[in-house]
Amino acid sequence: MSLPSPFRNAAFAAVMPRLSVLIPFYRESPLDLLRALQSRDPSALEIILIDDGSAMADLTHAVSTFIAQSPLACELITLTVNEGRARGRNRLTTAARGDYYLFLDSDMLPDDTAFLDRWLAQADGHNAVVFGGFSLRQAPDTPAFAIHKLMAGHSDCLSAAERAEQPEKYVFTSNLLVRRDVFAAEAFDGAFTGWGWEDTEWGMRVAARYGVGHIDNTATHMGLDTPETLARKYEQSVANFARVIDRHPHVITQYPSYKVAKLLKKIPGLNVLRPLIKAVGLSSLAPLKLRAFSLRLYRAALYAQVV
């Protein structure tokens, strides 16, 4: 017998939540995150999940079995076709009942047991948008993911004070609190497809209109990528980067990724050099730091096509 969509557990109807925790997933299990989301006040929140077209019966069964037994109000929406990162998150908000949304990626893991308590304290009706931050505290030291861990530690794992220097730049849906009326006015742009930049572009819009706050309430990014996957994601993100340039030229031109791409555009024969730069990034013979630098340079070389 097929599972109804949405599928709601027994606790769902009895709760009028202040906070809706919104978790999209695609062919990756969110169960580790669900196990970590324990609260001393279950009546204050709900968890809404969306399976964005995984079409994996075992995964659906595992998630539905877990939430059926959860004391927290839970709902699972199962899509038959993948809608993508922006549209999937927009759809999650239409199911949410809370005054605040907490967007969490399914490969995140809270860094301590007070994680949800801190977010509930932020959901007081005053904060418009707040980002809690990344960490790598719980990420495994797996050789296959060493380059991504090195890169993320350098560019993503920043304190609230550091992020606040460019508040709109560090807005990621991996650990993001948004007030309901703010999202009603400014949803994610569904025209973004593939990977990358849809949350940053959204951050640029809301920062100008509402402001963006930053706190230290981190979760670990457990879903690190291999160099090959990183390169593929960078290739998918070029059109999205071009869309950000078109919509927010006064902001994006201040970013290092834009400035380096602009410089690379002036180099003769960049189309020939680009695959060579990628090859260094993917070479197991090259030093780790050189590979990380080469992958960042490869991303900028890709973006040089649209600056």
Side-chain angles (χ1 to χ4, degrees):
M1 185 170 65
S2 62
L3 190 75
S5 181
F7 170 73
R8 296 166 177 162
N9 67 359
F12 188 85
V15 170
M16 293 297 292
R18 286 192 292 127
L19 178 65
S20 297
V21 183
L22 308 180
I23 306 171
F25 64 97
Y26 177 67
R27 297 185 176 178
E28 289 184 341
S29 174
L31 289 179
D32 286 344
L33 174 58
L34 288 174
R35 292 186 186 102
L37 293 178
Q38 303 302 315
S39 170
R40 289 190 290 272
D41 185 9
S43 65
L45 60 94
E46 66 180 357
I47 298 177
I48 312 292
L49 302 108
I50 189 167
D51 181 346
D52 196 5
S54 296
M56 297 171 65
D58 289 348
L59 179 57
T60 301
H61 176 74
V63 175
S64 61
T65 299
F66 181 90
I67 67 175
Q69 301 170 358
S70 174
L72 298 177
C74 296
E75 176 178 312
L76 171 63
I77 301 166
T78 303
L79 303 183
T80 57
V81 178
N82 180 266
E83 292 193 353
R85 293 162 57 90
R87 292 179 183 176
R89 287 175 173 84
N90 286 343
R91 185 186 283 262
L92 275 167
T93 67
T94 66
R97 300 174 294 170
D99 295 326
Y100 272 85
Y101 308 142
L102 175 60
F103 290 97
L104 284 175
D105 282 351
S106 62
D107 59 1
M108 302 296 286
L109 202 59
D111 283 332
D112 61 61
T113 57
F115 178 78
L116 277 179
D117 293 334
R118 293 192 195 95
W119 279 130
L120 283 165
Q122 291 287 320
D124 59 5
H126 302 297
N127 302 293
V129 178
V130 186
F131 181 61
F134 278 123
S135 89
L136 294 169
R137 294 178 197 172
Q138 303 173 76
D141 289 320
T142 305
F145 307 127
I147 291 177
H148 193 187
K149 190 172 186 179
L150 177 66
M151 295 169 69
H154 174 74
S155 60
D156 294 336
C157 299
L158 305 177
S159 69
E162 291 172 307
R163 287 181 263 120
E165 294 178 6
Q166 285 184 289
E168 86 294 331
K169 183 177 182 181
Y170 300 102
V171 174
F172 307 117
T173 50
S174 53
N175 186 17
L176 181 69
L177 186 78
V178 185
R179 201 172 65 213
R180 186 184 192 93
D181 64 296
V182 173
F183 199 88
E186 295 286 356
F188 294 115
D189 184 351
F192 280 84
T193 58
W195 180 86
W197 292 99
E198 76 285 343
D199 42 11
T200 304
E201 188 278 330
W202 180 85
M204 293 175 183
R205 279 187 277 133
V206 298
R209 190 170 176 182
Y210 299 98
V212 172
H214 288 273
I215 66 170
D216 290 312
N217 190 24
T218 59
T220 293
H221 182 202
M222 301 296 291
L224 296 175
D225 292 319
T226 65
E228 292 77 11
T229 300
L230 281 176
R232 187 163 59 249
K233 286 183 173 180
Y234 295 158
E235 290 157 4
Q236 294 173 4
S237 72
V238 175
N240 287 351
F241 187 71
R243 188 168 181 82
V244 177
I245 295 172
D246 182 62
R247 299 197 65 176
H248 306 279
H250 59 294
V251 180
I252 194 66
T253 52
Q254 305 306 310
Y255 285 17
S257 52
Y258 180 92
K259 292 178 179 179
V260 175
K262 199 73 173 175
L263 289 172
L264 290 175
K265 190 177 183 69
K266 299 177 182 179
I267 297 177
L270 181 60
N271 288 341
V272 176
L273 291 173
R274 192 180 293 115
L276 300 178
I277 297 170
K278 178 182 179 181
V280 174
L282 300 185
S283 173
S284 60
L285 301 177
L288 200 66
K289 289 185 178 180
L290 176 60
R291 295 179 68 188
F293 172 78
S294 298
L295 283 172
R296 288 194 294 269
L297 192 65
Y298 178 59
R299 178 177 57 190
L302 289 166
Y303 292 169
Q305 301 171 95
V306 296
V307 298

